[in-house]
Structures are given as structure tokens and as C-alpha cells.
Amino acid sequence: SDLSSGINAEWPLRPGECCDKYAHIFLIEVHNERNNLLKEIRESWKHSRLFLGRNKVMAFSLGRTVETEYKKDLHKLAKALVRKRGLLFTNEKVEDVKDWFKSHKQFCYARSGSIATETVVLPDGPLDFPHSMEPQLRQLGLPTRLKDGVIVLDQEHTVCTAGKVLNTQQAVILKHLGNCMAEFQIELMSHWSNDVFTVLSESNSAMEINEPDSEDDDVIEDVNEN
């Protein structure tokens, strides 16, 4: 039977078309997602298909069980579609894909909820910010004041501690400091080709296959479109 019959109409290709057209399928995971950086990925991979979002629908299209999978071992990919994961369909060589994504990482500003990768401490004394920013810095929790038109930190202040979750104020301060603590990257989790499934990332083996989709997975986004 046609396993794609129940797929959301927003998917531009049926699974058979993708699985039959492209030699390789990679399960990918997006870390520290940034729209502008994803756009750059999209531009570089116009020759392939990269789908993000609506994990349950994509998993259904591949087949979540041995009995329903479109091709042998695709259910292993389907069960791994959780969190910020997606699928890359391509005809590029495996090693070329690995090398490309390994080299295309970019540091960016951390957001609230991210884990601090280092401890950042500001010593007391003058800060190199325009004097007009003093009220904003004080609102962010820094013990500042104006002295002769210069922003001064009255005492040493720990902005964040390595291993701790960042709150909104800490993330904003780090951005003002120009500290790019997060790293955008697309990690290759596993690979499927010619009915053979291969794990590529150690973290892939510890994934929760029944984890619910996030609330923002409302639309399947083919990032090759637009």
C-alpha cells in the first residue's frame, strides 16, 4: 500500500520519491538553531533535500515499524526523529557530506536556556560601554554607576558560571560583551543507504524514541524551498 497516503500535504515530495531519488538519507540534529545560518545551509544544499519540523509526520512517511517501513531499516531513522532533528536526502558522497558539515560550524550568541560554556567575571572598575547604556546595564543586574561620564562597576561581578543555565539577563549581558558562547552546527546522527542503517554519532544510541515533538513542530519545512 502507499505508505505516504496519510502524510501532510505540505510535504512537497512523497517518501518514495525522496527515498528512490536520493542515494543517501542522513538523520541530522540542529544545535543552537539560527534562521540566518539555516538559510546559508539551504543555499549550499539546493541540490539535495533538507526537511525540518513535524517529526511525527515525517516518521509516519518513512514507517515507524518493520511492517510499515517504506524500505528496509527506514524505521530506525523514523524512531530517531525527535527534538530538533530532520532529514537530509542527497546524492553527494558520504565522506563529502561528513567533511562539509564538520567544517561548517559557527559561533553565535547564546540564548536564555543555553548552558554556559565558561565562567565570565567582570572586575570592578570602568566598563567600555557608552554612558547612555548605564541604566540598561543596571537593569540587567550589574552594580554600575556613572562617574565623570564613564560607566563604573562598583564591585566584581560574575556574569555566568560554566555548566549553569543562562537566564535572559545573562544572555543579554554576554551579547553586549561580544561573547559568542553558543555554536551553531548541524550534527549527522545516522545514515541510511541501500537498506543499510548506520549510526554516526555516539549520542544517537542514547536517544529517546518516544519523546513527544516540540510545540513548534507545526509545519514541515523543506528548507530548499522559498
Side-chain angles (χ1 to χ4, degrees):
S1 61
D2 184 0
L3 298 179
S4 62
S5 59
I7 196 169
N8 190 304
E10 290 164 335
W11 184 296
L13 288 178
R14 293 175 181 268
E17 293 179 75
C18 284
C19 295
D20 296 335
K21 181 177 179 180
Y22 297 98
H24 306 283
I25 307 175
F26 289 88
L27 175 73
I28 64 171
E29 181 164 343
V30 182
H31 298 280
N32 296 303
E33 179 180 348
R34 300 292 186 271
N35 289 336
N36 62 315
L37 299 179
L38 276 177
K39 184 177 180 180
E40 294 177 11
I41 300 293
R42 177 190 68 195
E43 292 298 318
S44 299
W45 288 85
K46 284 185 174 180
H47 48 71
S48 303
R49 287 280 182 175
L50 180 58
F51 295 99
L52 295 171
R54 213 58 196 280
N55 292 336
K56 289 182 179 179
V57 177
M58 289 197 291
F60 174 82
S61 73
L62 296 177
R64 292 180 58 87
T65 66
V66 174
E67 293 75 24
T68 61
E69 61 186 9
Y70 184 79
K71 288 188 175 183
K72 185 178 183 295
D73 275 356
L74 278 180
H75 76 281
K76 296 178 180 178
L77 278 181
K79 286 186 175 183
L81 278 167
V82 296
R83 299 188 296 275
K84 293 292 184 178
R85 291 182 176 173
L87 297 172
L88 170 66
F89 294 82
T90 185
N91 285 320
E92 297 298 302
K93 295 179 180 178
V94 172
E95 290 306 314
D96 289 343
V97 176
K98 289 180 178 179
D99 290 342
W100 195 93
F101 282 100
K102 186 176 181 179
S103 63
H104 282 74
K105 302 176 183 180
Q106 186 169 328
F107 282 101
C108 52
Y109 294 117
R111 293 175 175 172
S112 174
S114 300
I115 304 297
T117 58
E118 62 178 296
T119 297
V120 176
V121 179
L122 297 177
D124 61 338
L127 294 176
D128 188 19
F129 290 113
H131 66 86
S132 58
M133 286 187 62
E134 195 277 330
Q136 181 184 358
L137 295 176
R138 194 160 9 98
Q139 290 179 349
L140 290 171
L142 294 180
T144 59
R145 61 186 172 88
L146 275 178
K147 182 179 180 181
D148 299 327
V150 177
I151 300 177
V152 175
L153 198 64
D154 280 335
Q155 61 189 48
E156 182 181 276
H157 181 81
T158 300
V159 177
C160 63
T161 303
K164 298 290 185 66
V165 177
L166 296 174
N167 59 34
T168 301
Q169 290 75 19
Q170 291 170 315
V172 173
I173 294 172
L174 289 171
K175 185 173 183 179
H176 285 317
L177 293 172
N179 188 316
C180 294
M181 193 171 285
E183 185 179 43
F184 166 85
Q185 67 166 307
I186 291 184
E187 182 180 5
L188 303 178
M189 308 301 294
S190 55
H191 168 255
W192 180 94
S193 183
N194 294 324
D195 298 343
V196 177
F197 173 85
T198 306
V199 173
L200 301 178
S201 170
E202 292 182 4
S203 59
N204 196 70
S205 60
M207 58 200 165
E208 173 56 59
I209 63 175
N210 294 316
E211 180 174 329
D213 291 333
S214 60
E215 293 181 359
D216 59 353
D217 283 345
D218 290 329
V219 178
I220 293 177
E221 177 190 6
D222 175 5
V223 299
N224 302 81
E225 294 295 315
N226 299 328

